[in-house]
Amino acid sequence: MKYLIAFLLVMVFIFIGEWVSSFSRAYIPSIFISAILFIIGFWTFLPKDIAVQASFGDEFIAIIVPVLLVHLGTMMDLKQLADQWRAVVIALTGALGAAILTMVIGTILYDWHTVAATIPPLLGGVVSTALMTEGLQAEGLTMYLALPVAMYILQNFIGYPMVSFMLKKEGNRLLKEYDPTAQTATNTEEQKENKQSQKFIKMPNQYKTSAFVLAKVAFVGLLAMGLSQLTNEAIDSSICALVLGVIGHQVGFLEKNVLNQAKVFNWLMYGLMAYIFSQLNTVTPQILKGIILQILILLILGVLGMFIASSLLAKSMKMSTPMAFATSLTALCGFPSDYILTSEVIQHLTSDERKRDYLSDHMMPKMLVGGFATVSVASIIIASILLQLL
């Protein structure tokens, strides 16, 4: 019975967030509200292992993350992916700008260890947070252990609304430029490409069951993990999964929006969200009470650094300032939050499916690739450097 109760509570907290987002037309992101509900719940009545009780534990996550990333790859084509080098440059520059401004001004306000402990989690990623926590412990700096975790949690609360706001500005700008004639031509080209790619592998529809579709996605996800291991993880498995998802769709092995074809996408996303929200159980009111002010000041400095760096590069990278800033802000959310926030904004900006496709083609690849660049690359590199300077 307790497992079903745990599942019920998880879904209630998630759908309340969705309802608030719908009511506010995405100005208040659903994951922002759900995160607040979870943290209040952990401070009151929720069991710390609610995600595990609801069946969304470590084993579940190890399976669905590569599967979801392969799915997202099927939503793009190779040209879209290749064009995202600008998003990578913007995201990495934004992360560098955040680190520099936080170090320069932060060390004037606080001691070096306080600043160093918060920069990697400020730039996103549970891996960099864990690296910094372990490093502080190894150096005997236990009085700073709460800082990385607190920053990792609080940067989400700042990042979610800001990303949503910037994406809405960009979405409204794109809708003003929307040309139905050009979009129709684009759709025709996509249909031709899909027909050509499907010639690679032919199979009667009665055999394309949900289980068969999921088996194909799992196979591609497994290839991605194997490829990453062959490079000694020099190439992150997340990037491999995304790229192989793109290729798998281009050659006709995977359908577009493949997990929607199997009718399991929402279920997997909710499970991933539940797991991420469960990480909020590590921050208590006692931990936040003594450090929240310095965390917020350092966080504001980091966001300001991202804004300055991305704004300076926006024009040369052929992006609007809101889009460039949103791409940099992926450091504050990462996958899957960047996907959820972008999808949510698109859904609320228009009900026209062609316009939604248009917005998704322009915004989604930048957000996904930017998130990988900051969370999977920049934050870990910066954490490794700072660990040597503790």
Side-chain angles (χ1 to χ4, degrees):
M1 183 176 177
K2 71 174 183 177
Y3 302 116
L4 191 55
I5 292 173
F7 178 76
L8 172 63
L9 289 171
V10 166
M11 291 302 123
V12 167
F13 285 2
I14 291 175
F15 85 66
I16 289 175
E18 291 176 334
W19 283 9
V20 172
S21 175
S22 181
F23 179 77
S24 69
R25 298 191 60 79
Y27 278 107
I28 305 175
S30 64
I31 50 180
F32 176 76
I33 297 299
S34 296
I36 290 175
L37 292 174
F38 270 93
I39 202 166
I40 292 172
F42 286 128
W43 288 354
T44 52
F45 67 94
L46 279 187
K48 302 294 185 184
D49 63 341
I50 188 168
V52 176
Q53 290 188 27
S55 79
F56 305 126
D58 292 339
E59 296 84 0
F60 178 82
I61 297 305
I63 294 170
I64 69 165
V65 168
V67 165
L68 284 168
L69 290 168
V70 169
H71 164 83
L72 295 177
T74 68
M75 297 170 64
M76 293 184 261
D77 58 40
L78 289 172
K79 184 179 183 301
Q80 280 182 315
L81 194 63
D83 286 344
Q84 298 320 310
W85 66 268
R86 294 183 179 88
V88 173
V89 172
I90 288 277
L92 293 178
T93 305
L96 185 61
I100 291 173
L101 191 64
T102 305
M103 280 191 283
V104 170
I105 299 180
T107 48
I108 297 173
L109 302 173
Y110 306 109
D111 66 272
W112 164 247
H113 290 117
T114 295
V115 177
T118 55
I119 288 176
L122 164 65
L123 301 177
V126 67
V127 174
S128 59
T129 303
L131 285 173
M132 186 53 65
T133 302
E134 291 170 4
L136 290 168
Q137 199 157 16
E139 294 294 325
L141 300 169
T142 54
M143 62 183 294
Y144 298 99
L145 284 176
L147 291 170
V149 177
M151 176 60 84
Y152 177 64
I153 299 302
L154 288 178
Q155 50 108 312
N156 290 310
F157 289 100
I158 299 294
Y160 294 157
M162 291 190 69
V163 169
S164 186
F165 181 74
M166 290 298 134
L167 287 175
K168 289 203 78 167
K169 290 190 69 174
E170 175 67 4
N172 284 319
R173 184 191 70 81
L174 288 169
L175 287 174
K176 290 177 182 177
E177 298 177 354
Y178 175 72
D179 182 352
T181 305
Q183 187 65 6
T184 301
T186 301
N187 287 341
T188 302
E189 289 299 316
E190 286 180 356
Q191 289 171 5
K192 288 180 181 178
E193 288 178 8
N194 287 338
K195 287 179 181 178
Q196 290 172 353
S197 66
Q198 287 167 7
K199 291 179 182 178
F200 185 83
I201 298 173
K202 288 186 177 180
M203 179 169 287
N205 288 333
Q206 64 264 35
Y207 296 111
K208 295 180 181 179
T209 64
S210 295
F212 176 68
V213 171
L214 285 172
K216 291 193 295 180
V217 177
F219 174 72
V220 175
L222 191 62
L223 284 180
M225 296 181 74
L227 181 60
S228 177
Q229 290 177 2
L230 282 176
T231 64
N232 201 24
E233 299 186 354
I235 303 175
D236 190 86
S237 61
S238 298
I239 297 173
C240 292
L242 187 72
V243 172
L244 290 183
V246 173
I247 295 171
H249 171 56
Q250 293 293 293
V251 302
F253 183 66
L254 297 174
E255 297 81 359
K256 188 171 185 177
N257 287 320
V258 64
L259 292 181
N260 286 327
Q261 300 287 331
K263 299 179 175 62
V264 296
F265 176 71
N266 287 339
W267 168 263
L268 298 182
M269 282 301 299
Y270 288 148
L272 182 55
M273 289 166 63
Y275 179 82
I276 290 171
F277 291 141
S278 71
Q279 308 305 305
L280 297 170
N281 66 17
T282 58
V283 176
T284 65
Q286 292 74 26
I287 289 176
L288 287 180
K289 185 177 179 181
I291 60 176
I292 189 167
L293 181 60
Q294 59 198 53
I295 290 291
L296 286 175
I297 291 173
L298 292 170
L299 182 52
I300 291 169
L301 289 173
V303 171
L304 182 59
M306 290 178 195
F307 176 73
I308 294 171
S310 59
S311 298
L312 291 174
L313 275 182
K315 188 174 182 180
S316 62
M317 290 291 109
K318 298 180 181 179
M319 281 193 207
S320 68
T321 298
M323 189 69 247
F325 190 29
T327 303
S328 289
L329 286 171
T330 54
L332 303 184
C333 47
F335 180 79
S337 303
D338 49 7
Y339 171 82
I340 296 168
L341 290 166
T342 309
S343 297
E344 203 165 69
V345 166
I346 291 170
Q347 293 296 314
H348 287 289
L349 282 175
T350 178
S351 58
D352 187 319
E353 285 301 323
R354 289 181 300 174
K355 290 182 179 179
R356 285 179 176 177
D357 289 342
Y358 169 73
L359 293 177
S360 183
D361 287 345
H362 282 77
M363 296 195 294
M364 187 67 78
K366 294 180 180 67
M367 294 299 289
L368 290 175
V369 174
F372 293 138
T374 52
V375 174
S376 299
V377 180
S379 66
I380 295 175
I381 291 174
I382 291 174
S384 301
I385 295 170
L386 291 176
L387 283 170
Q388 304 299 318
L389 302 175
L390 287 178

